[in-house]
Amino acid sequence: MNMEINKLYTTQLQAGLGLVDETKILLELWQPGLTVQQLAQKALDTGRFPTVTARRLRNIVAEAFAPRYMVEGGKPATQLKQILSTEADADISQLMFLYTCRANPILADFVRQVYWQRYAGGYSVLHGEDARVFVERAIADGKTSKLWAESTVRRISAYLMGCCADFGLLESGAKSNRRVVPFRISTIATAYLAYELHFAGLGDNAVLMHEDWQLYGLDREDVLAEIKRLSLKGLLLVQVAGDAVRISWKYPNMEVLCDVLNQC
């Protein structure tokens, strides 16, 4: 579940950015036990991707959908499929954002180190040059397996900006400079991530401090505030005494939680 701290950056984002609509269809079609090839063929046979070539569709499944949602025996796909019917598109999109960042450390670091820093600094626009500088610095720091060509740097910089737009952090459109969009984690995404970290074996304090929250611009105190909101909604119980935090987790596993979230 956790991304390796020193995992090298790749160009995998070029297989597809947010792919929000495509992912929804693939989640509907996905079933436990399906291989990448079988899912791609099933998607092709349904005719639900009329403007996508067979080769492109297979690439989307193999290089984008599978690394994000078919890892850990397909747990992400199983869980997101379970809550897919919720009417709030933003909720499922925010969870897709989480898994896309986990599968693409370059995106995760860009969001944490560039987007949220600019956001906190009161910037109203994120510039394509910001992404380019980030990528060039990453290459200089040895975060890629080899030096990237200038054309690759240019493409990946644009992909980072486009992916942020797909997930609602930046305005959409074919622009090199994009307006920063107000972004706040949803209740469903908060509950999902908190419980997922808990079931991964993390203690309550470790849950609050996990780096995944930074993808949503949250530090420990912010997370605690969001957890308290979950408590008010009856999704868990939280007790705070000074720096000590104890969370009573109401649901026994992610399957039960996702059933509950699907009704939210």
Side-chain angles (χ1 to χ4, degrees), residues 93 115-116 211 240:
S93 176
Y115 175 83
W116 284 113
E211 66 177 1
V240 182

Side-chain angles (χ1 to χ4, degrees), residues 91-123:
D91 294 320
I92 196 73
S93 176
Q94 286 192 8
L95 295 177
M96 292 178 189
F97 169 61
L98 170 67
Y99 284 112
T100 302
C101 284
R102 286 180 178 175
N104 296 275
I106 188 172
L107 175 63
D109 286 349
F110 176 72
V111 170
R112 284 190 289 249
Q113 297 170 17
V114 180
Y115 175 83
W116 284 113
Q117 284 192 13
R118 297 292 191 277
Y119 190 103
Y123 286 74

Side-chain angles (χ1 to χ4, degrees), residues 93-221:
S93 176
Q94 286 192 8
L95 295 177
M96 292 178 189
F97 169 61
L98 170 67
Y99 284 112
T100 302
C101 284
R102 286 180 178 175
N104 296 275
I106 188 172
L107 175 63
D109 286 349
F110 176 72
V111 170
R112 284 190 289 249
Q113 297 170 17
V114 180
Y115 175 83
W116 284 113
Q117 284 192 13
R118 297 292 191 277
Y119 190 103
Y123 286 74
S124 60
V125 174
L126 196 63
H127 298 274
E129 184 63 17
D130 295 323
R132 182 187 181 89
V133 169
F134 169 80
V135 173
E136 290 176 340
R137 184 179 299 120
I139 296 170
D141 290 343
K143 292 185 178 180
T144 58
S145 61
K146 61 181 180 180
L147 294 179
W148 287 351
E150 172 62 26
S151 58
T152 302
V153 171
R154 189 166 55 248
R155 288 200 315 274
I156 298 300
S157 300
Y159 295 155
L160 291 171
M161 298 285 285
C163 208
C164 286
D166 284 352
F167 289 120
L169 283 75
L170 297 172
E171 68 174 326
S172 59
K175 304 175 181 179
S176 58
N177 303 323
R178 298 174 186 260
R179 182 173 53 85
V180 173
V181 177
F183 182 90
R184 178 171 180 174
I185 191 170
S186 69
T187 297
I188 287 179
T190 301
Y192 182 98
L193 179 53
Y195 268 92
E196 191 213 26
L197 295 173
H198 165 67
F199 288 128
L202 274 64
D204 294 346
N205 195 54
V207 167
L208 298 179
M209 298 179 65
H210 196 273
E211 66 177 1
D212 280 349
W213 296 110
Q214 297 170 23
L215 299 172
Y216 301 93
L218 306 177
D219 60 21
R220 183 185 183 279
E221 292 307 309

Side-chain angles (χ1 to χ4, degrees), residues 52-111:
V52 181
T53 66
R55 180 178 180 181
R56 170 64 179 147
L57 184 54
R58 293 189 181 97
N59 192 48
I60 288 174
V61 175
E63 298 297 325
F65 185 86
R68 300 175 191 181
Y69 310 107
M70 292 176 69
V71 294
E72 295 187 81
K75 279 184 183 179
T78 299
Q79 292 162 183
L80 267 61
K81 182 182 179 77
Q82 202 174 344
I83 62 176
L84 187 61
S85 60
T86 181
E87 294 182 2
D89 285 346
D91 294 320
I92 196 73
S93 176
Q94 286 192 8
L95 295 177
M96 292 178 189
F97 169 61
L98 170 67
Y99 284 112
T100 302
C101 284
R102 286 180 178 175
N104 296 275
I106 188 172
L107 175 63
D109 286 349
F110 176 72
V111 170

